[in-house]
Amino acid sequence: FCMLYIVRHLRSAVRMPEITDNLDQKQVQLLSEMCIVIDENDQKIGEDTKKNCHLNSNIDKGLLHRAFSVFIFNSEDKLLLQQRSDAKITFPGCFTNTCCSHPLHTDGEREEKEAIGVRRAAQRRLKAELGIPMEQVTPDEMTYLTRIHYKAQSDGVWGEHEIDYILFMQKNVDLSPDPNEIKSHCYVSKEELKEMLEKAKRKELEITPWFSLIAETFLFKWWDDLQNLKNFMDHKNIHRM
């Protein structure tokens, strides 16, 4: 009886290691945010933590959440890219489009009419990651083009499984990036991005899987016609990738 008590006491006294113990603590805090859980038709079915939504063990069971990807172009038609910081839990150090994140399960960000909730979330994250003043990136200035559905593993523990809203905007903006979110940033021309994609194929740099998918399928035809994006708006179909 005494030995059994001692073993139980030791088990309760020794904390088992968490999968987040070796991760950046500022990023770990964000794992408690509540994402919008959806089915494959982008219908809301609930909510869950950012942590649970990004665990491969849950993704393998079909857990799917709503996300967005923002593409901001300047007056020279160059695209603003960011390199994700080394502190990021998924795809650290990878180059990607201007901003990628999730609407939260809040009254303002789960509102679906004309994707207003997603656009509000994008405004919030553009401020948080890139330091862009919120008045420079209002939801009504963002064009919601379409949605893509993709799944990708970052490592053995973490990954992504999202229906991703694609948001475009052309405007010169002020930047003050948060180094915990962003390692570097740059504006690129079409030719420069094509060079980056070739370098990624040669393993000379890393690009996020969602950005690579979008760049290889849709991006350049949209980019060619920034003044006529309404021609490409498709709010009915979800592109499965």
Side-chain angles (χ1 to χ4, degrees):
F1 172 81
C2 290
M3 281 300 296
L4 184 61
Y5 172 80
I6 291 169
V7 170
R8 285 176 175 170
H9 178 73
L10 285 171
R11 283 177 177 170
S12 63
V14 178
R15 187 180 72 86
M16 296 299 289
E18 290 281 344
I19 57 174
T20 56
D21 280 354
N22 295 322
L23 301 176
D24 179 87
Q25 288 307 298
K26 188 173 179 181
Q27 291 294 321
V28 168
Q29 289 175 7
L30 297 175
L31 290 177
S32 62
E33 293 180 340
M34 300 303 292
C35 294
I36 301 168
V37 176
I38 51 178
D39 65 18
E40 292 205 347
N41 295 313
D42 195 26
Q43 298 299 305
K44 288 181 294 187
I45 57 174
E47 61 182 301
D48 208 337
T49 62
K50 182 180 176 184
K51 176 182 176 180
N52 286 339
C53 286
H54 289 82
L55 285 170
N56 289 329
S57 56
N58 293 328
I59 291 170
D60 289 342
K61 297 172 186 174
L63 189 60
L64 175 65
H65 64 280
R66 189 173 288 163
F68 62 81
S69 288
V70 184
F71 294 72
I72 292 182
F73 301 82
N74 65 12
S75 57
E76 298 177 343
D77 289 353
K78 289 189 173 184
L79 172 62
L80 176 59
L81 301 185
Q82 63 157 281
Q83 182 184 19
R84 292 163 68 85
S85 81
D86 293 332
K88 297 292 282 187
I89 293 170
T90 58
F91 302 100
C94 292
F95 284 90
T96 194
N97 50 284
T98 310
C99 181
C100 331
S101 192
H102 323 91
L104 301 181
H105 197 271
T106 61
D107 289 342
E109 294 189 10
R110 65 173 175 253
E111 189 176 339
E112 295 184 339
K113 186 177 181 181
E114 298 177 350
I116 184 60
V118 170
R119 289 184 285 131
R120 287 171 180 153
Q123 180 188 37
R124 171 178 58 82
R125 288 304 298 174
L126 286 166
K127 169 64 175 173
E129 294 185 20
L130 289 150
I132 302 175
M134 293 182 77
E135 63 270 17
Q136 291 186 8
V137 283
T138 58
D140 64 321
E141 294 176 283
M142 301 176 194
T143 299
Y144 159 40
L145 285 181
T146 191
R147 293 167 290 176
I148 68 167
H149 177 188
Y150 78 95
K151 179 164 66 173
Q153 284 197 0
S154 178
D155 57 28
V157 177
W158 305 99
E160 301 279 4
H161 187 208
E162 306 177 330
I163 288 183
D164 195 17
Y165 284 64
I166 309 303
L167 306 175
F168 266 42
M169 180 177 169
Q170 185 165 22
K171 189 175 186 180
N172 294 331
V173 294
D174 297 322
L175 301 170
S176 180
D178 178 352
N180 187 256
E181 294 284 342
I182 294 176
K183 187 173 184 177
S184 67
H185 65 280
C186 58
Y187 282 94
V188 295
S189 65
K190 294 171 199 169
E191 292 71 24
E192 288 167 334
L193 179 56
K194 288 174 182 176
E195 288 178 13
M196 290 179 71
L197 293 170
E198 288 301 316
K199 286 183 177 180
K201 290 176 182 177
R202 299 194 299 266
K203 309 295 185 184
E204 294 174 15
L205 57 80
E206 291 184 295
I207 291 178
T208 60
W210 62 87
F211 182 45
S212 180
L213 286 169
I214 295 166
E216 296 287 355
T217 52
F218 300 115
L219 178 57
F220 290 101
K221 67 179 180 181
W222 293 337
W223 199 339
D224 284 338
D225 214 1
L226 285 176
Q227 309 310 315
N228 297 290
L229 289 174
K230 288 185 178 179
N231 295 335
F232 304 107
M233 289 170 69
D234 179 1
H235 299 171
K236 181 179 179 180
N237 296 303
I238 300 171
H239 303 280
R240 314 289 178 181
M241 296 187 168

